[in-house]
């Protein structure tokens, strides 16, 4: 199995606001890297004396071990000047980077893992939704995803049917567009950017672009950290740690169509760093 | 693992450590297992992995006669079969979805589990009952040596049997048995002596 | 009472948990601990020069140690959550409140290294954490032998609340709780208390809620 396809992808490695000249030791796909600012004050990533390409976007510094063919994806909706951009900060998780993304694409766990916030046991049903791979962008999209949520966002006052759209524009990144309680017709943007340290260890950098005039930034950060840390205790207890791409090893249902499409898309592109191809 | 090892009873827990309506983690040489009691106390064991997304079932919860996964609430019955998938309340889960029930038995207040049904019940040690389980960072052989050369020993002045199961090459699950009817003070002394035995064993390893 | 709070802080959670169990309302003030390090900023350092949270402000009273805050809230709103005047209970309560600081530095330290990139000697923190868990397991086993579930006296007290969070979150620092049967039973008894609240990493007991399928059975 070759890791070249993933080596050519972009990955988040730090908050732009947190870069220092001293640099921070980190890892990317098993290789030691140093993330920081160079002598001119520009963001830089060093890998054993080699300068890696960088992109500054969405409040994060991005890099690649290889030679990316495509520019890093964009999120046009996030450019709206009235949105609050929220750097949620990093959380390390002992799981496959691909498992972390797959969990983010899943709504059926809300009643059990995010009880009384994103879901409740009396409303567990997942209705049919639409999943496609958009050919031009080569991205996985799930749309018309609806779910009953007791407290959909920091700003939500009570239970509502929330509509979601999920987008996977890169192997370890997902963008969620979600009903925005204070602004009907607009979408909140919540992203999960995952840095693969090894196949079974990752740093997760959630990032948000929201319309929210009432909550403080700290409230918004805490809400997202609360949700993600509830997931962490699940992610660290899945067996096997790597994401199985062999359909025989796990049992998807209709609610898991996004995950099924994501796994197929990973396999087709050889995005298999953090995946288990056959049962061990 | 050899076929004859698969049909051997392995000590997995102390009976009284698994309350009615709860699930606990344990292990066989084949991998992690979940051992649970129904609300009425009936004992069951199965693989510690939900067939849906691989989540450990020992993190789940028991209602009535079913074990549910904490991740998506998939519900498994006493035969290991999936009974209910909350995301699709109207769906009857296919019979093929099963969390792998395992043979389980209780003897001397110890819960024994096997990968495949053994021909006989677990061997009883007449007149003894489980006191306490403990994980030693040592091999079964090192524990026997520290206990005076055999697993039949004494702890704090009370006769004792040690039942062991190697969990990993460096970790052994140990259950100490003491005579049925041992008084509380002697049990406490035996538990303290078991701690001391672990210290000796681990510092020798 | 105002609590300067961080949703991921087990020490802040102790205070929120006790307040909830006692039915006491707290006014929460969210502190951007990570990534903002607000607890090291001027406003909070003026309140607590140690630069730590939780901080409880109640009129003129400002408290910055979680064990002290638990004692304060229990003294005001739940006397039976404190030791009686019995010397054995007083000693045991103080013993476990002090022990809880070892849990914080060892298991809490490992958690900050493993989860939030804090510097630290992970192996040493985990070893100290395992030593503390083994002590707690032995003590709780001894309590079970005498028919007791909790650490002090014959009921749940602030000693249990002080020790519970960092123990329950030990896996966040890659310290397994699987080997400790008596700790598991004790944690379950705490989680089963009326008005128990969760924090990320500590799930509620779903089985205590009514079974949505019960109507079909």
């Amino acid at each position: 199995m070759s890791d070249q396809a993933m080596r050519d992808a972009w990955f988040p490695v730090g908050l732009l606001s947190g870069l220092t000249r001293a640099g921070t030791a980190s890892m990317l796909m098993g290789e030691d890297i140093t993330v920081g600012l160079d002598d001119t004050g520009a963001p830089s990533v060093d890998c054993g004396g080699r300068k890696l390409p960088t992109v500054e976007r969405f409040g994060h510094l991005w890099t690649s071990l290889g030679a990316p063919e495509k520019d890093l994806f964009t999120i046009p909706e996030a450019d709206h000047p009235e949105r609050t951009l929220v750097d949620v900060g990093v959380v390390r998780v002992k799981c496959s980077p691909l498992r972390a993304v797959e969990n983010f694409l899943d709504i059926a766990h809300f009643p059990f893992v995010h009880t009384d916030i994103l879901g409740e046991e009396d409303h567990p049903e997942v209705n049919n939704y639409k999943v496609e791979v958009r050919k031009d962008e080569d991205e996985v999209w799930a749309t018309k995803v609806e779910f009953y949520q007791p407290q959909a966002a920091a700003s939500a006052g009570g239970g509502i049917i929330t509509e979601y759209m999920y987008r996977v524009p890169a192997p370890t990144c997902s963008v969620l567009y979600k009903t925005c309680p204070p602004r009907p017709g607009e979408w909140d943007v919540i992203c999960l950017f995952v840095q693969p340290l090894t196949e079974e260890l990752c740093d997760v950098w959630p990032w948000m672009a929201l319309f929210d005039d009432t909550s403080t930034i700290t409230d918004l950060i805490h809400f997202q950290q609360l949700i993600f840390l509830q997931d962490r205790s699940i992610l660290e207890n899945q067996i096997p740690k790597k994401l199985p791409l062999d359909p025989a090893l796990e049992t998807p249902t209709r609610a898991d169509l996004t995950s099924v499409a994501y796994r197929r898309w990973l396999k087709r592109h050889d995005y298999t760093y953090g995946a288990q191809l056959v049962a061990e | 693992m050899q076929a004859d090892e698969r049909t051997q009873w392995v000590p997995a827990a102390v009976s009284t450590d698994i309350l009615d309506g709860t699930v606990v983690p344990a292990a066989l040489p084949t991998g992690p297992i979940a051992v649970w009691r129904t609300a009425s106390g009936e004992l069951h064991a199965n693989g510690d992995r939900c067939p849906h997304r691989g989540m450990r079932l020992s993190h789940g919860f028991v209602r009535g006669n079913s074990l549910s996964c904490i991740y998506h609430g998939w519900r498994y019955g006493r035969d290991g079969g999936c009974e209910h998938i909350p995301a699709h309340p109207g769906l009857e889960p296919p019979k093929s979805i099963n969390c792998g029930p395992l043979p389980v038995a209780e003897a001397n207040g110890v819960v024994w589990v096997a990968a495949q049904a053994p021909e006989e019940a677990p061997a009883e040690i007449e007149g003894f009952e489980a006191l306490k389980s403990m994980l030693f960072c040592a091999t079964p052989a090192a524990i026997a040596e520290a206990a005076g050369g055999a697993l039949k020993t004494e702890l704090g002045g009370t006769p004792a049997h040690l039942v062991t199961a190697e969990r990993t090459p460096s970790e052994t699950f140990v259950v100490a048995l003491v005579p049925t009817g041992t008084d509380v003070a002697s049990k406490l002394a035996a538990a303290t002596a078991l701690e001391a035995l672990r210290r000796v064993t681990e510092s020798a390893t | 009472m105002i609590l300067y709070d961080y949703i991921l802080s087990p020490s802040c959670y102790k205070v929120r948990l006790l307040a909830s169990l006692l039915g006491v309302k707290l006014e929460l003030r969210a502190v951007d601990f990570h990534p903002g390090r607000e607890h090291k900023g001027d406003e909070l350092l003026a309140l607590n020069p140690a630069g730590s949270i939780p901080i409880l402000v109640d009129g003129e009273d400002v408290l910055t140690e979680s064990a002290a805050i638990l004692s304060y809230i229990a003294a005001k709103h739940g006397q039976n959550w404190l030791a009686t005047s019995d010397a054995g209970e007083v000693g045991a309560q103080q013993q476990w409140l002090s022990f809880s600081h070892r849990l914080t530095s060892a298991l809490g330290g490992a958690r900050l290294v493993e989860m939030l990139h804090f510097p630290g000697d992970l192996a040493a923190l985990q070893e100290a954490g395992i030593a503390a868990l083994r002590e707690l397991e032995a003590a709780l086993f001894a309590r079970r032998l005498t028919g007791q579930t909790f650490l002090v006296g014959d009921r749940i007290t602030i000693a249990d609340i002080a020790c519970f969070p960092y123990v329950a979150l030990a896996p966040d620092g890659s310290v397994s709780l699987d080997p400790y049967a008596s700790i598991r039973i004790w944690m379950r008894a705490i989680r089963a208390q009326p008005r128990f609240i969760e924090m990320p990493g500590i799930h509620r007991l779903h089985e205590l809620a009514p079974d949505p399928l019960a109507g079909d059975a």
Side-chain angles (χ1 to χ4, degrees):
Chain A
M1 163 173 43
S2 159
D3 295 330
Q4 194 55 49
M6 288 267 288
R7 290 177 66 88
D8 289 339
W10 292 105
F11 298 104
V13 290
L15 283 176
L16 290 170
S17 60
L19 301 177
T20 61
R21 288 198 185 234
T24 305
S26 182
M27 267 180 117
L28 186 58
M29 294 179 70
E31 298 201 31
D32 290 323
I33 57 171
T34 305
V35 180
L37 300 170
D38 67 14
D39 295 340
T40 68
S44 114
V45 182
D46 177 276
C47 179
R50 186 163 68 97
K51 275 242 182 280
L52 299 185
T54 57
V55 169
E56 297 159 50
R57 198 167 292 170
F58 317 129
H60 290 75
L61 181 64
W62 299 73
T63 194
S64 172
L65 289 170
E69 277 177 28
K70 287 202 297 187
D71 184 21
L72 175 64
F73 62 90
T74 58
I75 308 175
E77 300 83 354
D79 291 336
H80 194 289
E82 286 171 41
R83 284 185 188 260
T84 306
L85 307 181
V86 186
D87 297 342
V88 177
V90 68
V91 177
R92 180 159 293 177
V93 189
K94 296 178 286 284
C95 77
S96 152
L98 308 179
R99 285 243 194 229
V101 171
E102 183 177 80
N103 172 74
F104 187 73
L105 301 174
D106 176 62
I107 56 171
H109 72 282
F110 290 171
F112 298 94
V113 180
H114 310 298
T115 315
D116 294 345
I117 305 171
L118 300 184
E120 61 184 34
E121 228 192 316
D122 288 335
H123 295 87
E125 185 161 13
V126 177
N127 293 319
N128 288 345
Y129 54 87
K130 188 170 171 238
V131 181
E132 62 186 324
V133 174
R134 295 198 176 162
K135 290 280 182 300
D136 291 346
E137 302 92 338
D138 189 28
E139 297 181 351
V140 180
W141 277 79
T143 52
K144 299 189 168 23
V145 185
E146 288 183 349
F147 205 67
Y148 176 85
Q149 302 203 314
Q151 192 203 335
S155 61
I160 48 170
I161 301 276
T162 309
E163 188 178 342
Y164 278 35
M165 292 192 293
Y166 286 103
R167 170 186 173 205
V168 182
T172 67
C173 295
S174 179
V175 183
L176 160 65
Y177 302 87
K178 177 175 181 178
T179 311
C180 171
R183 290 229 190 172
E186 297 278 3
W187 300 90
D188 274 338
V189 174
I190 301 172
C191 304
L192 198 76
F193 303 145
V194 182
Q195 174 184 355
L197 302 173
T198 71
E199 290 196 89
E200 298 182 358
L201 185 69
C202 54
D203 275 349
V204 177
W205 305 87
W207 184 77
M208 305 188 287
L210 310 175
F211 289 109
D212 188 329
D213 306 325
T214 53
S215 307
T216 65
I217 290 272
T218 302
D219 287 333
L220 297 172
I221 291 174
H222 283 198
F223 184 77
Q224 199 53 37
Q225 289 185 348
L226 164 76
I227 297 301
F228 188 68
L229 268 291
Q230 289 180 330
D231 288 318
R232 186 177 185 265
S233 61
I234 300 290
L235 289 168
E236 297 196 337
N237 286 290
Q238 283 176 278
I239 303 171
K241 283 203 175 299
K242 291 185 197 169
L243 182 76
L245 293 184
D246 178 349
L249 204 56
E250 293 190 348
T251 316
T253 71
R254 236 181 327 112
D256 301 312
L257 286 183
T258 318
S259 135
V260 170
Y262 173 60
R263 290 185 185 200
R264 283 190 189 140
W265 181 80
L266 290 174
K267 204 168 175 178
R268 200 173 66 243
H269 288 285
D270 276 330
Y271 292 146
T272 50
Y273 188 82
Q276 178 177 304
L277 291 171
V278 289
E280 279 169 4
Chain B
M1 196 177 178
Q2 304 291 318
D4 56 342
E5 283 183 317
R6 294 184 66 87
T7 56
Q8 275 184 9
W9 291 112
V10 177
V14 171
S15 288
T16 51
D17 285 344
I18 311 175
L19 306 182
D20 292 352
T22 69
V23 57
V24 306
L28 287 180
T30 42
I33 61 172
V35 187
W36 55 286
R37 287 188 196 277
T38 64
S40 58
E42 197 179 285
L43 190 65
H44 295 278
N46 43 255
D48 195 9
R49 186 173 178 278
C50 178
H52 176 222
R53 284 291 175 254
M55 180 63 197
R56 289 179 65 189
L57 287 169
S58 60
H59 287 237
F61 56 98
V62 176
R63 271 193 186 129
N65 290 325
S66 341
L67 173 66
S68 293
C69 179
I70 186 87
Y71 196 1
H72 299 93
W74 287 28
R75 210 179 270 222
Y76 298 91
R78 290 176 289 180
D79 62 356
C82 182
E83 296 175 330
H84 181 65
I85 297 175
H88 305 299
L91 175 82
E92 175 148 351
K95 289 274 174 277
S96 56
I97 305 178
N98 191 292
C99 64
L102 297 163
V104 60
E106 292 180 271
N108 295 106
V110 177
V111 173
W112 301 82
V113 184
Q116 278 175 18
E119 285 181 9
E120 293 174 5
E124 284 270 356
I125 300 171
E126 191 79 34
F128 279 76
E129 66 177 7
L131 173 70
K132 181 170 183 29
S133 72
M134 213 178 261
L135 195 68
F136 282 50
C137 294
T139 61
I143 296 167
E145 193 183 321
L151 294 174
K152 185 172 185 301
T153 181
E154 62 90 27
L155 289 170
T158 300
H161 280 271
L162 300 181
V163 171
T164 63
E166 192 176 71
R167 288 248 169 119
T168 70
S170 62
E171 288 176 317
T172 302
F173 178 74
V174 178
V175 181
L177 312 183
V178 293
T180 308
T182 300
D183 62 85
V184 168
S186 303
K187 281 182 173 174
L188 206 48
T192 305
L194 186 63
E195 297 275 352
L197 178 67
R198 176 164 67 180
R199 269 197 304 278
V200 171
T201 312
E202 291 183 351
S203 61
T205 301
Chain C
M1 283 190 279
I2 301 168
L3 177 69
Y4 288 77
D5 181 43
Y6 176 44
I7 193 80
L8 300 186
S9 156
S11 294
C12 294
Y13 168 63
K14 290 176 192 179
V15 180
R16 277 184 272 124
L17 176 58
L18 180 68
S20 175
L21 293 170
L22 292 178
V24 174
K25 183 113 183 72
L26 291 175
E27 190 181 320
L28 297 181
R29 160 79 164 76
V31 176
D32 184 5
F33 179 89
H34 172 83
R37 295 180 60 79
E38 188 186 350
H39 55 300
K40 302 292 187 193
D42 289 341
E43 188 199 340
L44 289 196
L45 284 176
L47 214 46
N48 177 16
S52 63
I53 46 173
I55 305 169
L56 186 82
V57 178
D58 187 24
E60 297 293 300
D61 294 319
V62 178
L63 297 168
T64 62
E65 293 289 341
S66 62
I69 297 174
L70 295 179
S71 305
Y72 179 86
I73 294 176
K76 266 188 112 160
H77 300 284
Q79 284 287 342
N80 61 332
W81 289 68
L82 295 170
T84 60
S85 59
D86 173 74
E89 283 202 15
V90 170
Q93 172 176 292
Q94 213 50 46
Q95 182 76 24
W96 290 115
L97 291 179
S98 298
F99 178 82
S100 72
H101 295 299
R102 275 175 58 203
L103 296 171
T104 306
S105 62
L107 295 172
R111 179 173 180 266
L112 288 174
V113 173
E114 282 280 78
M115 201 166 93
L116 299 182
H117 287 198
F118 278 52
D121 180 346
L122 182 62
L125 292 167
Q126 289 170 331
E127 194 183 322
I130 290 168
L133 288 174
R134 285 178 168 190
E135 277 181 54
L136 179 62
E137 170 72 17
L140 285 167
F141 176 75
R143 298 285 294 164
R144 283 172 70 197
L145 279 181
T146 59
Q148 296 298 338
T149 305
F150 297 107
L151 289 168
V152 178
D154 56 359
R155 67 211 175 274
I156 187 167
T157 67
I158 60 168
D160 301 294
I161 305 303
C163 292
F164 168 71
Y166 280 105
V167 171
L169 294 168
D172 279 349
S174 300
V175 174
S176 172
L177 289 172
D178 291 1
Y180 310 109
S182 299
I183 289 178
R184 187 156 37 242
I185 289 170
W186 167 75
M187 290 197 301
R188 187 181 169 81
I190 296 170
R191 292 160 75 202
Q193 294 294 312
R195 294 194 298 265
F196 175 83
I197 52 168
E198 52 201 350
M199 76 164 271
I202 303 177
H203 292 286
R204 72 180 69 188
L205 297 173
H206 287 288
E207 61 270 43
L208 298 184
D211 184 350
L213 293 189
D216 306 348

